[in-house]
Amino acid sequence: AIECTNPQSAVEKIIFCLNENVPVVCGTTGWLSQLKTVEEKCKEINGVFLYASNFSIGVNIFFELNKKLATLLNPHPSYNVEIEEIHHTQKKDAPSGTAITLAEQIIEISDKKNKWINSDSENENELSIISKRIDEVAGTHAVKYSSAVDDIEIIHTAHNRKGFAEGAVLAAEFLIDKKGIFSMSDVLGF
């Protein structure tokens, strides 16, 4: 089952599928405070579960670049980092799950940043995520490091939603004949 509904019903649907011995690929964001419960249930019944905040192959490569860039820049405190995400006006969550994943990757590596905030911040320990909603934008994410002497920026721009669907199907195919808990890093061999 590919579960991409809403945060209010995702956990119930995931648990239902696991109880029916149906492998679950989940892309719904906004429910991760209950992820441990889902993972425990999956382990308890020897089920199959894969969660990703984004199924796009390009975004998952972008995640790897983000971690590498954060590692390279961590020893250089003169650089400040912020994230900008732009989506269509019908997107219900802000920041996007993808932006949160990017932020959490940076925070895990950073000696300076210890939390993200969905606004501009002058606090050097806060990682700003700027969320914009514009008609007909499938999704753009930018991670920008700025110093007094230069900027370094990586950007992923989705042209449509096809890549998300293809990645979810690839993830579902990956789960065939497997047991356990997986991520897109497993699917892509990172």
Side-chain angles (χ1 to χ4, degrees):
I2 298 176
E3 195 286 327
C4 291
T5 59
N6 62 63
Q8 294 74 34
S9 65
V11 173
E12 178 184 342
K13 290 175 182 358
I14 294 165
I15 299 290
F16 175 82
C17 289
L18 290 173
N19 282 333
E20 296 299 317
N21 200 30
V22 175
V24 181
V25 170
C26 177
T28 301
T29 58
W31 64 273
L32 292 184
S33 62
Q34 298 176 69
L35 179 61
K36 186 173 182 151
T37 301
V38 168
E39 289 176 340
E40 287 172 357
K41 180 65 173 180
C42 184
K43 289 175 187 174
E44 173 190 320
I45 64 171
N46 197 28
V48 188
F49 176 69
L50 184 149
Y51 171 77
S53 62
N54 194 308
F55 288 103
S56 160
I57 293 167
V59 165
N60 281 278
I61 292 169
F62 189 69
F63 287 154
E64 295 302 309
L65 292 171
N66 182 53
K67 291 187 287 190
K68 182 66 174 178
L69 189 57
T71 300
L72 291 170
L73 286 168
N74 189 46
H76 304 283
S78 62
Y79 286 91
N80 188 44
V81 61
E82 74 173 21
I83 297 170
E84 179 181 84
E85 58 101 354
I86 307 168
H87 284 87
H88 52 88
T89 55
Q90 288 76 41
K91 183 149 183 68
K92 295 179 181 177
D93 58 338
S96 68
T98 301
I100 292 170
T101 298
L102 291 164
E104 289 176 349
Q105 289 176 331
I106 293 166
I107 290 165
E108 186 174 319
I109 294 166
S110 176
D111 293 331
K112 185 165 58 170
K113 302 295 184 187
N114 58 32
K115 73 176 198 173
W116 60 264
I117 184 168
N118 194 213
S119 67
D120 280 322
S121 175
E122 297 299 319
N123 183 332
E124 70 176 29
N125 300 119
E126 294 178 337
L127 172 54
S128 293
I129 301 175
I130 308 303
S131 299
K132 297 179 180 177
R133 297 298 175 257
I134 301 171
D135 283 336
E136 306 302 320
V137 175
T140 299
H141 293 85
V143 178
K144 184 176 184 178
Y145 287 82
S146 299
S147 76
V149 296
D150 60 8
D151 294 338
I152 302 170
E153 187 171 13
I154 56 173
I155 300 172
H156 176 271
T157 303
H159 300 298
N160 55 54
R161 295 184 186 163
K162 184 178 178 184
F164 308 122
E166 287 175 351
V169 171
L170 184 66
E173 291 170 344
F174 172 83
L175 293 183
I176 294 171
D177 297 326
K178 290 188 174 57
K179 295 288 184 187
I181 299 167
F182 301 94
S183 70
M184 281 302 286
S185 291
D186 299 308
V187 173
L188 298 173
F190 296 149

